[in-house]
Amino acid sequence: MNTEERLIESTRALLWERGYLGTSPKAIQQRAGAGQGSMYHHFAGKHGLALTAIRRTAEELQAVAEARLSVPGTALERITAYLRRERDVLKGCPVGRLTQDPDVMADPALRAPVEDTLAWLRTRLAQVLDEGRAAGELDRRLDPPATAAAIVAVLQGGYVLARASGTTDPFDQAVSGVLALLAAHAPETARQRA
Amino acid sequence: MNTEERLIESTRALLWERGYLGTSPKAIQQRAGAGQGSMYHHFAGKHGLALTAIRRTAEELQAVAEARLSVPGTALERITAYLRRERDVLKGCPVGRLTQDPDVMADPALRAPVEDTLAWLRTRLAQVLDEGRAAGELDRRLDPPATAAAIVAVLQGGYVLARASGTTDPFDQAVSGVLALLAAHAPETARQRA
């Protein structure tokens, strides 16, 4: 990795672990093994670096989610693949975490990728649920946008519960819980096929 | 309020808004209208004050949840009363927020009330769900601990989504989504009665 890349990756890691306030220019430089001059050669400052870092984290999250949600299979299988993908649960979601960061939320530019990513995720899951309804895999009474919001909330809240307990168990339980509730929404015929 | 109370309440508000790192002794004193000598007369320092503040926030959250979960009614009605209670959604959960605070999570004493409160909430909801199953209001196949974890996760994640979007809509949608999934788990007879 060149210096610019190392600066971006160090900022991403620090934002995830320490938040905006806890991410000092000095800490970024130390982690990246870069000098102050080098940092200001590539970026106007901490804000510009944080913006690049947050945008990249947001893009990666969307790409990873899309990869799981577009596997072949039923809506329930695709959502299961997404929820059950390997995650560093105890570190939490690098995007969701930023919603608890007052400095990020107060800055429209830093906040935009956070807002856009979580909105995209809800829309994409609602699409998958809608496809499942159209294919007769899910009950027609199921409301795709509300169900999608609940699924994304389970993920984000699952991280919160896991961090509180210091184990991944409550995350896994919450995911199992919502998948079981969703599976019960499959019409009898679809359930028998599964 | 006396000075000690004002110091505690100021610390609670600052921890909620700014996190541990963003809560300086000076900011606490200013918000409380108290001098440095007065603060150190009542508390050994920021850590002791934060511990008292976090414990009180945790106790209040449990008391408010218990008040809703113990209203008369079916399990689904009690859970609905709890999820739909008035909340300052955009400020997020004062307890859940602390799981994203690295200084709180790294300190066993500060972290304990956070862990205990979210664990208590899952256990209490599992109890309510179990009572609903026993009363024939909910399908016997429903797994109370997993469902309870999903419900608490929806709340915590709902706050995350609301903060990201700057509106309460995704929180309300997520709550509606999980309640609809849960209602579909009521046996046909219970559903017809409702």
Side-chain angles (χ1 to χ4, degrees):
Chain A
M1 275 199 283
N2 62 30
T3 309
E4 189 178 351
E5 278 301 304
R6 289 204 312 277
L7 285 163
I8 296 170
E9 291 303 317
S10 300
T11 306
R12 291 177 67 190
L14 283 165
L15 281 173
W16 197 358
E17 291 163 17
R18 302 287 316 163
Y20 193 84
L21 193 63
T23 300
S24 66
K26 200 182 165 111
I28 297 170
Q29 290 154 29
Q30 279 177 347
R31 191 161 182 146
Q36 182 172 327
S38 169
M39 174 172 150
Y40 289 101
H41 169 72
H42 289 289
F43 297 95
K46 171 174 153 178
H47 183 273
L49 196 39
L51 185 57
T52 305
I54 292 174
R55 283 182 178 155
R56 187 177 290 184
T57 297
E59 279 161 21
E60 276 192 16
L61 187 146
Q62 294 190 30
V64 169
E66 184 55 39
R68 295 305 184 290
L69 290 173
S70 56
V71 294
T74 65
L76 202 52
E77 285 163 354
R78 291 155 68 197
I79 291 170
T80 303
Y82 171 60
L83 294 181
R84 294 277 188 218
R85 78 171 174 84
E86 265 192 68
R87 295 167 189 271
D88 197 346
V89 169
L90 290 179
K91 281 191 77 182
C93 173
V95 173
R97 189 218 184 288
L98 298 171
T99 63
Q100 306 302 316
D101 196 319
D103 300 288
V104 172
M105 286 296 102
D107 184 295
L110 297 180
R111 178 203 184 133
V114 177
E115 175 166 5
D116 295 348
T117 299
L118 292 170
W120 172 84
L121 198 48
R122 289 193 286 132
T123 305
R124 188 67 186 93
L125 277 165
Q127 246 171 33
V128 173
L129 290 165
D130 214 28
E131 288 165 20
R133 281 203 326 177
E137 299 156 14
L138 292 168
D139 195 311
R140 286 225 143 265
R141 282 167 298 183
L142 184 130
D143 176 33
T147 312
I151 293 168
V152 180
V154 162
L155 267 188
Q156 293 295 330
Y159 287 122
V160 169
L161 300 184
R163 283 178 66 88
S165 81
T167 75
T168 59
D169 297 351
F171 180 94
D172 296 333
Q173 274 200 316
V175 165
S176 298
V178 80
L179 285 173
L181 288 173
L182 201 55
H185 247 286
E188 212 51 57
T189 49
R191 250 179 289 173
Q192 281 159 358
R193 268 185 294 151
Chain B
M1 274 200 283
N2 61 33
T3 309
E4 191 179 349
E5 278 301 304
R6 288 205 313 277
L7 286 163
I8 297 170
E9 291 304 317
S10 300
T11 306
R12 292 177 66 190
L14 284 164
L15 281 173
W16 197 356
E17 291 162 18
R18 301 288 314 164
Y20 193 83
L21 194 63
T23 300
S24 66
K26 202 185 165 111
I28 297 171
Q29 291 155 26
Q30 280 177 346
R31 189 161 184 147
Q36 183 172 326
S38 168
M39 174 172 150
Y40 289 102
H41 169 72
H42 290 291
F43 297 95
K46 171 174 153 179
H47 183 273
L49 197 39
L51 185 57
T52 304
I54 292 174
R55 283 182 178 157
R56 187 177 290 184
T57 297
E59 280 162 20
E60 275 192 17
L61 188 146
Q62 294 191 30
V64 168
E66 183 56 37
R68 295 304 184 289
L69 289 172
S70 56
V71 295
T74 66
L76 201 54
E77 285 163 355
R78 290 154 69 195
I79 291 169
T80 303
Y82 171 60
L83 294 181
R84 294 278 189 218
R85 79 171 174 83
E86 267 191 66
R87 293 167 190 273
D88 198 345
V89 169
L90 291 178
K91 280 191 77 179
C93 174
V95 173
R97 188 217 185 288
L98 298 171
T99 63
Q100 307 302 316
D101 196 319
D103 300 289
V104 172
M105 287 295 103
D107 184 295
L110 297 180
R111 179 204 183 133
V114 177
E115 174 166 4
D116 295 348
T117 299
L118 292 170
W120 172 84
L121 199 48
R122 290 193 285 131
T123 306
R124 187 69 185 94
L125 277 164
Q127 247 170 31
V128 173
L129 290 165
D130 215 28
E131 289 165 19
R133 282 201 328 176
E137 300 156 15
L138 291 168
D139 195 312
R140 286 224 142 265
R141 282 167 298 182
L142 183 130
D143 176 33
T147 312
I151 293 169
V152 180
V154 162
L155 267 189
Q156 293 295 329
Y159 287 121
V160 169
L161 300 184
R163 283 178 67 88
S165 80
T167 74
T168 59
D169 297 352
F171 180 94
D172 296 333
Q173 275 200 317
V175 165
S176 297
V178 80
L179 285 174
L181 288 173
L182 201 55
H185 247 285
E188 213 51 59
T189 48
R191 251 181 288 174
Q192 281 159 355
R193 269 186 293 152

